[in-house]
Amino acid sequence: MYSLSSTQHWTTAADPELAVTTRGEVPAQDVTRAVRAITRVMRRHHLDSPARVRVTAPRGSDEPTLVQANIRTNDTLTRVQVTGPGGFAVTFAAERLDRQLARRAGKEARGAWPDPARRPLAQVTETRPIIRRKDCALMTGTPLEASTVLDAMDYDAYLFTDADTGEDAIVTWADPHGVSLARQHRTVAAGGSAHLPLTASAMPVRVVQDAAPVYAEDEASDVLCRGGLPYLFFTDSHTGRGNLLYRRYDGDLTIVVPS
């Protein structure tokens, strides 16, 4: 077994550099499986860029293994994150990465939402702690550019600054084939419509008709957990900026705030 946060680096003359990070008691065969599976995907897509894979073992026997893979190609980062039982999680991650890269190359369309391959995080719980804080320099761009990042990074929600209004905003996946845009204040698209032009992958963008609620961080945590939400976009009552609070796979919370 590997100890907590151990790191293994794998480099061969024939294959691109691949770094595998393990957290918790990850069996050695899962590290080998990750190297082989991700390397096969990269070969299939003719990539020679460094790749990073993180395998997090479950805390209990009834919890899933979490696998995240990151590859940078032509200054563009592609990321997938998926859970699954034992060694199957690595296989699921490799298959998801393969589809992600095919979609980025225009060879495959995105499937319907909700994604059956992703473990749902919407559940009513007692208020959980915010254990990670991400201070980020937000991208300033259009909702269409933000949706491209949303797809490439395999996020459920992405916080950015809307270039059209100057407001902090999020894009999220909408049921079944589309993207939702929520801004802090402006609830319609330019021209008074509730819809924006299609994304690059021909998915419609719908503007959420409600302004972002205003909360302090502890209030937002309580609303998310007791409301059974996977994430919550809100305006921070102290800073006036848009924040994104979301539930992690371990049940605790992470908050993304503009730096």
Side-chain angles (χ1 to χ4, degrees), residues 227-247:
L229 306 175
Y231 51 80
L232 177 64
F233 173 58
F234 67 98
T235 295
D236 186 279
S237 58
H238 299 293
T239 67
R241 297 297 302 273
N243 287 189
L244 175 61
L245 180 69
Y246 65 89
R247 194 188 303 268

Side-chain angles (χ1 to χ4, degrees), residues 114-130:
D115 188 341
R118 295 290 286 272
R119 175 186 173 191
L121 296 177
Q123 55 182 317
V124 177
T125 65
E126 294 296 319
T127 301
R128 300 292 291 265
I130 298 175

Side-chain angles (χ1 to χ4, degrees), residues 40-210:
R40 282 196 298 269
V41 171
M42 295 180 68
R43 286 175 176 173
R44 185 177 301 121
H45 293 274
H46 309 290
L47 299 177
D48 59 359
S49 305
R52 300 291 180 265
V53 181
R54 185 175 70 227
V55 183
T56 303
R59 296 176 180 176
S61 58
D62 59 339
E63 296 180 5
T65 296
L66 174 65
V67 179
Q68 178 176 313
N70 298 65
I71 297 177
R72 182 173 293 279
T73 59
N74 300 323
D75 296 326
T76 300
L77 188 62
T78 299
R79 165 191 177 274
V80 296
Q81 188 179 69
V82 69
T83 61
F88 290 103
V90 171
T91 301
F92 296 161
E95 292 173 347
R96 191 174 186 87
L97 181 62
D98 189 28
R99 294 193 300 270
Q100 190 88 319
L101 292 170
R103 190 162 61 251
R104 296 298 303 276
K107 299 177 182 178
E108 185 173 321
R110 185 173 184 88
W113 185 263
D115 188 341
R118 295 290 286 272
R119 175 186 173 191
L121 296 177
Q123 55 182 317
V124 177
T125 65
E126 294 296 319
T127 301
R128 300 292 291 265
I130 298 175
I131 66 167
R132 186 178 182 189
R133 185 182 186 87
K134 295 182 179 179
D135 293 285
C136 299
L138 301 188
M139 179 195 81
T140 298
T142 67
L144 305 189
E145 292 170 330
S147 67
T148 299
V149 178
L150 177 76
D151 190 21
M153 296 299 290
D154 204 19
Y155 293 147
D156 290 339
Y158 176 61
L159 179 68
F160 72 108
T161 300
D162 180 26
D164 295 334
T165 64
E167 299 179 17
D168 296 327
I170 64 166
V171 285
T172 62
W173 297 116
D175 188 12
H177 296 279
V179 174
S180 288
L181 166 71
R183 300 189 184 101
Q184 286 182 279
H185 309 291
R186 185 165 179 170
T187 58
V188 294
S193 170
H195 298 275
L196 291 170
L198 298 179
T199 66
S201 54
M203 290 185 293
V205 179
R206 179 181 61 84
V207 182
V208 175
Q209 296 298 291
D210 297 321

